[in-house]
Amino acid sequence: ATGQGALPYDERLKFAVRDQLLAVVERYPSLSVRDEPFTHNDGRTVHLLRAEGTVPIYYQGVKYNIPLKMFLPEAFPHAQPICYVTPTSNMIIKPGHSCVDGSGLVRVPYGERWSYPRSNLTEMAGTLSEAFGAEPPLFAKPAGYVPPSPPHTSSPSTAQRPGHPPPPPGVGLNPGAANPGAARTPLYPPPPSDRLSGGLLGSQTRIQSQPPPPPPPPQPQAQVQAPQHQSQAPSSWAEYHQRPAPPPGVGEPAASSSRVVSQTRQNIQQPSPHVLAGGLSVAEGTFKARAITALSDRLRSELDVLRAQSGEEAERLLTLQAELARRREDIEKALRASRAERGA
C-alpha cells in the first residue's frame, strides 16, 4: 500500500509480522493491535503497528498489571520492537530504574541481542514481565504529591526527544529534585493493605497482608532516678552481658525500664506467626498451595479424558474383532460349500 497512512513493512515479511502479533496477543489477551503514528528522533512520522495493553507481574506475592506499548519499527522482524511503559494518571515512573528511563522507554538485554528468527514478540513480553517483577518500573502516586517544575531551558540535551511518548502530566525525571530535604518517596509498590482502592500498579490481586513490624524500643524516661553511690558488681561475665547498658551518668537503670527492654527483646527473638516452617511466608505458602491444587485439578481432568478415550478405543477394537470373526466364519462356510460341490 502507498500513501500517507501506508504501513512501511517489507511485503515479503508481512506474514511473519502477522504471525508474531497473533502469537503475542494469544499469550497475553489484554494486548490489542492497531496502527498508530510514531515520530522518530529525526522528526520523521510514520504509521507503525503496535501492541498495547498490560502484562502481568508478581511482586512480593501480589499480582500487578503493567501498562505497556510495543511498536514494530520499519525493519521488524529484523529489528527489535520499541517498548514503552505507559503510566496512568495515578502512577509515577520509578526514577533511576535499571531498564526504564524517565520517558518510559524500555531497554533490556533481550532486545539488545535481538536476532530474527530466533527472537520474537512473545518472548520479549515474557522477558519484560520477569524484569518488571524483579524491579517494578511504576509505583502509586503518593497523596499530596507535588510534581517538580520543569527546567526553564531550551537546550537540546534537556528538551524532550520526539521519539518518546509524553510522560504523565507533571512528572519529571526525578520527583525529589524540587525538594531535596523532603522525605524520600518509596520507589517500590507499597505492601497490600485492607483498602485496595487507590491504585498501586493497575489492577491487583491481594494474596496475604504482610506481617506487622516488631514493636519499637521504649523511649528513655523523662526523669531518671539519681545514681546510687555504690553499684552491685556482677557475679559473672554472662550476667554482665545480659544487663542493659545504663544511660550516660546513671548507675543502675530503672527496674521498670529494664523489664520493658527484656520483654521487647523476647518479642523480637520470637518467630513471627506469619512465617511457616522452612522460612516461607504465609503468602508464599498460600501461593504454592493454590498452584499445586490447580495443577492437581488439571492433571485429574486430563486423566479423565484419557480414560474416556481409552474406553472408546477398546470398544472400537472389540467391534472390529467381532466383525473379523463373522467374516472368517463366512469364508469357512464358502470353502466347505466349494469342497462339497467338487466332491459331487
Side-chain angles (χ1 to χ4, degrees), residues 233-237 239-240 243:
S235 60
S236 63
W237 282 103
E239 180 182 356
Y240 175 80
R243 304 172 81 179

Side-chain angles (χ1 to χ4, degrees), residues 95-293:
H97 194 273
S98 59
C99 58
V100 179
D101 64 12
S103 67
L105 179 63
V106 182
R107 295 184 178 92
V108 291
Y110 184 87
E112 301 297 332
R113 298 191 299 266
W114 183 274
S115 176
Y116 178 77
R118 185 176 67 250
S119 304
N120 57 74
L121 279 178
T122 305
E123 292 184 0
M124 181 70 171
T127 301
L128 296 182
S129 178
E130 294 179 1
F132 294 163
E135 184 184 4
L138 305 175
F139 62 94
K141 183 184 297 183
Y145 172 77
V146 178
S149 58
H152 299 284
T153 175
S154 59
S155 171
S157 60
T158 58
Q160 174 139 353
R161 299 168 62 184
H164 297 169
V171 177
L173 297 180
N174 187 2
N179 191 4
R184 184 178 181 184
T185 303
L187 301 183
Y188 296 96
S193 62
D194 293 336
R195 296 179 60 186
L196 296 183
S197 60
L200 296 182
L201 291 182
S203 60
Q204 57 182 341
T205 303
R206 178 171 179 260
I207 296 180
Q208 183 70 25
S209 61
Q210 299 295 328
Q219 299 294 331
Q221 297 181 357
Q223 296 181 357
V224 182
Q225 296 180 358
Q228 299 179 359
H229 296 285
Q230 184 177 2
S231 60
Q232 188 177 5
S235 60
S236 63
W237 282 103
E239 180 182 356
Y240 175 80
H241 287 289
Q242 291 176 358
R243 304 172 81 179
V250 179
E252 290 291 339
S256 60
S257 176
S258 176
R259 288 195 298 269
V260 172
V261 172
S262 176
Q263 184 65 26
T264 303
R265 289 179 178 175
Q266 292 178 3
N267 293 338
I268 295 176
Q269 293 176 359
Q270 290 178 357
S272 174
H274 297 273
V275 178
L276 302 176
L280 294 179
S281 66
V282 175
E284 293 175 349
T286 304
F287 176 77
K288 291 185 177 180
R290 291 179 178 177
I292 293 174
T293 302

Side-chain angles (χ1 to χ4, degrees), residues 51-138:
E52 180 180 9
T54 60
V55 293
I57 69 169
Y58 288 89
Y59 178 71
Q60 294 184 351
V62 181
K63 179 182 178 181
Y64 298 94
N65 292 320
I66 300 297
L68 181 71
K69 276 188 179 183
M70 304 174 68
F71 288 93
L72 308 188
E74 296 92 321
F76 188 85
H78 292 288
Q80 63 169 310
I82 306 171
C83 302
Y84 291 92
V85 293
T86 54
T88 60
S89 59
N90 61 341
M91 300 181 188
I92 300 177
I93 298 177
K94 174 189 173 183
H97 194 273
S98 59
C99 58
V100 179
D101 64 12
S103 67
L105 179 63
V106 182
R107 295 184 178 92
V108 291
Y110 184 87
E112 301 297 332
R113 298 191 299 266
W114 183 274
S115 176
Y116 178 77
R118 185 176 67 250
S119 304
N120 57 74
L121 279 178
T122 305
E123 292 184 0
M124 181 70 171
T127 301
L128 296 182
S129 178
E130 294 179 1
F132 294 163
E135 184 184 4
L138 305 175

